Amino acid sequence: MKAIKYSRYKFAVRRPLFFTALVSGLLLGGCTELERPRVEPFYAVSVPPPTQELRWSNGALPKSFDPARAAAAPETDVVQAVYEGLTSLDSRTLSEAPAAAERWESSSDLRTWTFHLRRDLRWSNGERVTARDFVRSWKRLASLGDKVPNRYLYRNIAGLGNAKDSSAEPRDLPSDMPAERPDPVRLDGTPSQPVEPGEAAVGLTTTPPVFQDTDPPPPLKHVSPSIGVQTIDDATLRVTLVKPDRDFARLVSNSLFRPVYGSGANFDSEPLDIKIVTNGPFRVAAIAEDGLTLERSSNYWNAAAVKLDRVQLIAGKSSEAALDAYRRGEVDLVTNTSFEPLALKLLAPYEDFRKATHNALNFYEFNITRPPFTDRRVREALAIAIDRGKLADSELEGAMRPAYALFPDAEASQKLTFDVERARDLLANAGYPLGGGFPRLRLIINRNNAQQRVARSVAKMWKQGLGIETDIIVKEPGEVDAARRSGDFEILRRGIVLPTNDELINLTAILGDRFLARTDADEASRVTGPSDVDIAETAAEQAEQISIPTHRDAMYDLHVIPLYFPISYSLVKPYVLEYEISSLDAVSLIGMSIDSTWRPKPQNP
């Protein structure tokens, strides 16, 4: 690639996969590391840089600076550094926090949201950022159509959901991302094994909302615009939704909703433009074949909170070079990586190795229009007859976290557990005692070695536990997608990445529009229907909360069987302060800094 503008810095390089590099690095560090007890706490120790400069290896050179096109790292890393949306996410809690909008409120029906922008917002060229910039940028999303990878995120905004190809689903889940094992918990909240400290999850809707509990002016539909995004004045933006969404303030923190300067036409002609005008805490200062240089923006409204003066984003050509650069102290942070199981075991003891469950899911989807999957008891029986812990330990070599729910941080009361006896009772009550008379299952999976191992193990569990036979149908990814679109399947394997923690949007991405279309009759049936699982709220609570489908509903319906979550990993030097790795892989540079005085503590001989 021809350099657009070269920095004065020489960049180290890396690739996302560096298992070979890890093993090589350990060997280069001395075979005794594998043969004797290790006393040093860090995989690599080095003297911190003397300035507030972060050297970050995060994958290949980004293909674009366009927020609309940023679906994953390294693009999202750059977009989140140089642009700012209405809200941001707290790095630790992942709850919404004020950003370009200093406050917001929703209507009582959660369909109309009003955001109040700060008066001191500036683009990097000094011009003021106004509500019109957000309206123009969001309308641009609709005009881009299928050029927007995560266009399903804006489907619930009135008018934008009619855009071409707006029914697109989240990007496919990488099949080689690792994870850890939690303890299974029953749906009623009773642990089947002791739950370790810190394992209890917090539901996505339990964090108190930031918005004020007041009603905004009349809904946008009274104004009759073509798209449900409107400026009330330069500092006030109003958004109308198709369906109520209590987490909408979280959703708009996603990179997709960040404003662009002007029409955005320059992204088509020059995707990596050093002259790009942005509104975030950093600006693009240099672009080279081997990386980018970001510098703190003096026009950012909260510049005082930005501790780093410069960030070197290091592109990757070889995994060996990245790991070697980290060991030599040329790189402070390594992210956007995948590890083989052996590499995980080798890195696990080190304090500079971090991991977090990724907001993504591998699961089996039922065709609920075909008997016997129209019967919820059958679906639950198949779901709880799977020993997810065994799958993770054996078939996935401990590199994935078992999924007892659809989301990694689901409440304990909403999790599945492995319970063969209950599964047999459910199947018998559905008319199939010990699997008698149950039709032979057809399970469609993609052509992937790990997925085939998992499928064979699940089929064996269904056979031994329930007496059910399974045919495993292996297809190419395009054929799997075609089977799902046409409805020509019984059970089908899927895997998706969810780039937001908006519960409604994520559930719709997993379950489709049928989940949004739940009716009051469905709710009444769910509340009064036969079940020994206490999932329904009281009638008074339901009336107070607005009828919005929730994860609790999805776990009762069990239209899909969650299997496992992947894991995100990083290597970070101990002198890098306030770095947080989260389920969304959303690295916030605000508040991060370099402790130039840090030195390793002497080790006992």
Side-chain angles (χ1 to χ4, degrees):
M1 171 182 170
K2 182 179 180 181
I4 302 173
K5 180 177 179 180
Y6 285 91
S7 164
R8 66 182 183 275
Y9 295 89
K10 177 63 178 175
F11 292 98
V13 291
R14 59 170 299 283
R15 268 198 315 256
L17 294 173
F18 59 85
F19 166 65
T20 303
L22 173 64
V23 176
S24 300
L26 289 171
L27 292 176
L28 287 172
C31 294
T32 55
E33 293 189 33
L34 303 177
E35 298 172 352
R36 60 177 174 81
R38 182 183 52 79
V39 294
E40 65 276 11
F42 304 109
Y43 173 65
V45 176
S46 56
V47 177
T51 60
Q52 289 298 315
E53 177 178 322
L54 177 70
R55 299 160 299 179
W56 180 8
S57 177
N58 72 328
L61 192 74
K63 297 178 180 178
S64 173
F65 293 153
D66 188 354
R69 293 173 168 89
E75 285 78 15
T76 51
D77 290 333
V78 177
V79 166
Q80 290 174 45
V82 302
Y83 291 98
E84 182 175 68
L86 295 170
T87 64
S88 61
L89 291 182
D90 182 276
S91 298
R92 290 186 174 89
T93 66
L94 292 184
S95 59
E96 61 271 35
E102 60 184 353
R103 61 185 176 89
W104 54 89
E105 65 261 1
S106 74
S107 60
S108 58
D109 66 358
L110 301 176
R111 284 188 171 90
T112 304
W113 290 74
T114 304
F115 295 87
H116 302 275
L117 276 61
R118 303 176 189 277
R119 300 281 179 173
D120 54 350
L121 299 177
R122 291 287 184 270
W123 293 102
S124 55
N125 63 1
E127 294 182 22
R128 185 182 174 190
V129 179
T130 70
R132 289 189 298 273
D133 293 311
F134 284 90
V135 171
R136 183 184 60 253
S137 299
W138 290 14
K139 287 183 176 181
R140 173 177 174 261
L141 295 176
S143 68
L144 288 175
D146 59 7
K147 293 180 181 179
V148 182
N150 286 334
R151 53 198 179 278
Y152 77 97
L153 293 178
Y154 58 72
R155 290 186 62 194
N156 196 32
I157 298 176
L160 291 186
N162 297 324
K164 181 181 178 182
D165 291 334
S166 63
S167 61
E169 294 174 349
R171 62 190 178 92
D172 291 340
L173 173 68
S175 60
D176 57 352
M177 297 182 68
E180 61 190 28
R181 175 182 176 180
D183 295 305
V185 180
R186 299 178 184 276
L187 275 175
D188 61 4
T190 305
S192 59
Q193 299 176 12
V195 179
E196 296 181 3
E199 190 61 35
V202 178
L204 290 179
T205 60
T206 59
T207 303
V210 177
F211 58 80
Q212 305 296 316
D213 188 19
T214 57
D215 287 348
L220 181 59
K221 62 182 180 181
H222 296 164
V223 185
S224 300
S226 58
I227 289 180
V229 187
Q230 178 193 21
T231 57
I232 304 304
D233 54 44
D234 281 353
T236 311
L237 178 73
R238 181 159 329 138
V239 185
T240 296
L241 307 180
V242 177
K243 295 287 183 178
D245 184 1
R246 63 170 59 90
D247 295 330
F248 185 68
R250 297 183 186 181
L251 177 65
V252 295
S253 68
N254 186 271
S255 302
L256 178 72
F257 297 99
R258 305 195 178 194
V260 298
Y261 182 79
S263 67
N266 56 311
F267 292 121
D268 293 320
S269 59
E270 195 170 2
L272 299 183
D273 182 4
I274 195 172
K275 299 178 182 178
I276 188 72
V277 177
T278 58
N279 73 321
F282 292 86
R283 64 178 183 84
V284 179
I287 305 173
E289 291 181 347
D290 50 2
L292 308 175
T293 300
L294 308 181
E295 292 184 351
R296 183 168 57 170
S297 174
S298 59
N299 287 324
Y300 180 56
W301 69 270
N302 196 23
V306 182
K307 308 293 181 58
L308 296 170
D309 294 322
R310 184 178 295 105
V311 178
Q312 300 287 354
L313 291 170
I314 300 171
K317 294 181 180 178
S318 101
S319 56
E320 290 81 1
L323 188 64
D324 193 41
Y326 183 82
R327 288 178 62 86
R328 291 198 309 265
E330 298 172 359
V331 171
D332 309 309
L333 176 64
V334 178
T335 64
N336 191 29
T337 62
S338 296
F339 295 88
E340 296 290 342
L342 178 57
L344 296 177
K345 294 178 181 178
L346 293 172
L347 281 172
Y350 294 102
E351 294 180 17
D352 51 344
F353 178 63
R354 309 272 188 92
K355 61 182 178 179
T357 304
H358 192 40
N359 199 38
L361 178 69
N362 271 278
F363 61 96
Y364 288 160
E365 178 178 350
F366 291 110
N367 186 340
I368 60 171
T369 66
R370 293 188 179 184
F373 311 113
T374 52
D375 191 324
R376 183 200 170 280
R377 295 169 296 184
V378 170
R379 301 196 299 270
E380 183 180 348
L382 292 171
I384 65 176
I386 297 174
D387 186 348
R388 291 161 179 77
K390 183 177 180 180
L391 287 180
D393 288 343
S394 300
E395 306 307 331
L396 299 170
E397 302 180 82
M400 299 285 169
R401 173 179 168 179
Y404 298 97
L406 301 182
F407 302 147
D409 56 354
E411 295 179 4
S413 62
Q414 300 171 22
K415 292 184 179 181
L416 296 167
T417 188
F418 175 51
D419 192 338
V420 176
E421 292 302 320
R422 173 171 168 77
R424 289 171 180 165
D425 290 342
L426 286 167
L427 207 60
N429 292 337
Y432 307 102
L434 298 178
F438 199 91
R440 194 177 185 93
L441 294 181
R442 296 177 69 253
L443 170 61
I444 296 178
I445 65 172
N446 55 301
R447 193 177 299 280
N448 174 284
N449 290 335
Q451 297 308 324
Q452 292 184 54
R453 293 196 305 271
V454 169
R456 288 193 294 268
S457 183
V458 169
K460 185 177 180 180
M461 293 174 189
W462 285 341
K463 171 62 176 176
Q464 294 178 344
L466 303 177
I468 293 175
E469 299 284 353
T470 304
D471 291 327
I472 300 172
I473 314 299
V474 179
K475 293 181 177 289
E476 298 299 331
E479 296 174 318
V480 175
D481 293 339
R484 181 171 183 267
R485 286 194 301 268
S486 66
D488 186 19
F489 71 98
E490 293 177 356
I491 304 179
L492 177 144
R493 181 265 170 188
R494 289 178 60 202
I496 58 176
V497 174
L498 301 168
T500 176
N501 62 348
D502 181 304
E503 184 177 52
L504 179 69
I505 299 300
N506 285 347
L507 289 172
T508 306
I510 296 170
L511 301 168
D513 288 334
R514 65 174 180 270
F515 192 70
L516 278 179
R518 294 173 63 94
T519 64
D520 292 338
D522 293 331
E523 290 296 304
S525 174
R526 179 179 69 82
V527 173
T528 60
S531 173
D532 62 345
V533 180
D534 183 19
I535 294 181
E537 276 86 18
T538 64
E541 289 174 327
Q542 289 184 6
E544 181 180 345
Q545 288 185 2
I546 306 294
S547 180
I548 305 175
T550 65
H551 179 268
R552 190 181 294 268
D553 299 316
M555 290 305 296
Y556 176 83
D557 292 341
L558 281 176
H559 291 176
V560 301
I561 301 177
L563 293 174
Y564 57 87
F565 304 115
I567 278 260
S568 297
Y569 298 94
S570 60
L571 286 165
V572 54
K573 292 295 176 65
Y575 52 74
V576 177
L577 306 182
E578 298 301 319
Y579 166 74
E580 295 289 337
I581 181 172
S582 71
S583 62
L584 293 177
D585 277 352
V587 178
S588 174
L589 293 173
I590 298 178
M592 287 180 62
S593 64
I594 301 295
D595 181 3
S596 298
T597 66
W598 183 91
R599 296 294 183 273
K601 295 179 181 180
Q603 298 296 311
N604 295 326

